[in-house]
Amino acid sequence: MLAHLIPHKGKGGLVLALPLIVALMLFTIADVVHLNEQYIGAISLLSSAFIIWFYDGGPELLREGPKRAKKSKNTLFWIEIKYWALISGIIGCVWLSILTV
């Protein structure tokens, strides 16, 4: 059923799984070291956006432009995952700015 709702090709599941994996690792480290866990959600979104951006060739998009950059095979909801990295990074920045105010 979920396969019909979330059509994807390639590594589109990284968009959903990577922030959860990074957050799990950060929560574990913060619990062991007794750090404040307030910023972990925003940091996990920002770090996963960074990883996904470089994994899917985001720098090539900036160098070549959208017309010349080769089309990625990695999509989620028919959107390339490098664009999901931008969305995730923006949400992480907004979340972090809200927490610091």
Side-chain angles (χ1 to χ4, degrees):
M1 171 99 175
L2 191 60
H4 298 290
L5 296 176
I6 306 175
H8 68 278
K9 295 185 280 186
K11 305 284 186 214
L14 278 176
V15 174
L16 302 174
L18 196 59
L20 295 175
I21 293 169
V22 171
L24 180 67
M25 290 189 313
L26 289 176
F27 271 117
T28 304
I29 292 169
D31 191 37
V32 169
V33 184
H34 304 292
L35 293 175
N36 188 1
E37 299 173 348
Q38 180 181 8
Y39 301 108
I40 290 179
I43 291 171
S44 66
L45 278 177
L46 288 172
S47 60
S48 64
F50 182 77
I51 293 168
I52 290 172
W53 174 258
F54 282 101
Y55 172 77
D56 200 41
E60 179 185 348
L61 176 69
L62 293 178
R63 281 192 309 269
E64 304 293 330
K67 302 278 188 207
R68 291 183 161 185
K70 63 182 176 184
K71 186 143 175 88
S72 174
K73 293 180 183 175
N74 302 318
T75 62
L76 179 69
F77 289 119
W78 301 287
I79 300 172
E80 295 181 36
I81 64 171
K82 64 182 132 208
Y83 298 116
W84 283 109
L86 291 173
I87 294 168
S88 172
I90 290 169
I91 292 171
C93 286
V94 169
W95 189 358
L96 194 61
S97 70
I98 289 171
L99 289 176
T100 56
V101 170

